[in-house]
Amino acid sequence: MALTECANGHLYDDSQYQTCPYCNTGTNQVVFGAGVGKTVGVGAGPAPAAVEIGATVAPASYNRAGRPDSDRDTGKTVAVLQKSFSREPVTGWLVCVEGAEKGKDYRIAAKINSIGRGENMDICIKGDATISRENHARLAYDGKHNDFHLIPAESINSIYINDEPVYVPTRVKEGDIIELGESKFRFIAFCDDTFNWKDGVKGEKEI
């Protein structure tokens, strides 16, 4: 069997295909050896099924290995805990107790959460103009040690935990008050001494 390499680097059997079956051209072609009067859509896959004359087969895109592009590594880093979930699991919340968005809650995911006014922030606080649009601060959940840290980022305004200024990554505990701009937020932990996503339920919380 002689293999031919197309302009896009795909290898295919030229005794079975007139042109590369992997390239996404969106046209029909005759497949020799698949039966007289049968056509398949170019790009329909490495082992296309015969279809009736004139039938349109939706083209598919394949990589050099002959696998669909959906199997290709996107290059995006996946959080450790996210590997077992459809999205990063919730680990806690910030609840606005003072400021423009008083009464609103914000979900803290199992990762390093960016905080700012921008829509692209993990924790988006729109109403307070004294909070930076991007990366005012970061709130990180450490799944290995099951704890949280507030990390200063690019804000020109000071950040506080329980009225104490934060200049370096600082641990946040249940009930702490975090001050960002002119707003204050109470930190509520979901992952704590009694539960985390790695080990599950661990026992009753001490009061």
Side-chain angles (χ1 to χ4, degrees):
M1 179 180 66
L3 295 179
T4 300
E5 183 174 359
C6 74
N8 292 321
H10 305 133
L11 295 177
Y12 66 96
D13 184 357
D14 59 4
S15 66
Q16 291 292 317
Y17 304 98
Q18 286 184 319
T19 59
C20 176
Y22 303 120
C23 291
N24 188 11
T25 63
T27 61
N28 288 341
Q29 72 176 49
V30 176
V31 179
F32 298 98
V36 178
K38 302 295 183 180
T39 61
V40 298
V42 174
V51 295
E52 296 180 0
I53 294 176
T56 300
V57 179
S61 180
Y62 287 80
N63 57 32
R64 289 177 67 94
R67 296 177 180 177
D69 280 338
S70 59
D71 290 345
R72 193 179 285 174
D73 186 351
T74 62
K76 182 178 179 181
T77 302
V78 177
V80 173
L81 282 176
Q82 185 186 356
K83 291 176 65 178
S84 302
F85 299 84
S86 60
R87 59 180 295 183
E88 295 94 346
V90 63
T91 59
W93 299 269
L94 290 180
V95 180
C96 185
V97 295
E98 186 176 316
E101 298 196 353
K102 184 176 180 179
K104 185 174 181 179
D105 65 297
Y106 307 85
R107 185 179 184 273
I108 303 169
K111 63 177 183 178
I112 299 177
N113 299 263
S114 57
I115 303 174
R117 298 196 329 272
E119 295 282 356
N120 60 326
M121 296 289 97
D122 298 307
I123 298 175
C124 176
I125 306 168
K126 297 181 180 179
D128 189 341
T130 61
I131 292 177
S132 302
R133 183 171 298 278
E134 295 189 354
N135 298 320
H136 185 100
R138 294 184 177 91
L139 185 53
Y141 172 71
D142 178 4
K144 185 173 183 179
H145 299 98
N146 196 37
D147 57 17
F148 300 80
H149 287 81
L150 185 66
I151 306 168
E154 302 171 10
S155 173
I156 61 173
N157 294 321
S158 297
I159 299 170
Y160 300 88
I161 297 178
N162 300 327
D163 288 329
E164 294 295 326
V166 175
Y167 300 114
V168 296
T170 303
R171 188 175 181 183
V172 183
K173 302 181 294 298
E174 174 78 22
D176 281 351
I177 301 297
I178 297 173
E179 186 174 342
L180 308 172
E182 295 180 343
S183 299
K184 292 183 179 181
F185 305 84
R186 182 172 181 179
F187 170 69
I188 307 295
F190 177 66
C191 292
D192 54 22
D193 293 339
T194 65
F195 175 86
N196 64 63
W197 290 111
K198 180 181 178 182
D199 303 319
V201 178
K202 300 173 68 175
E204 297 290 335
K205 178 181 287 190
E206 295 183 5
I207 301 177

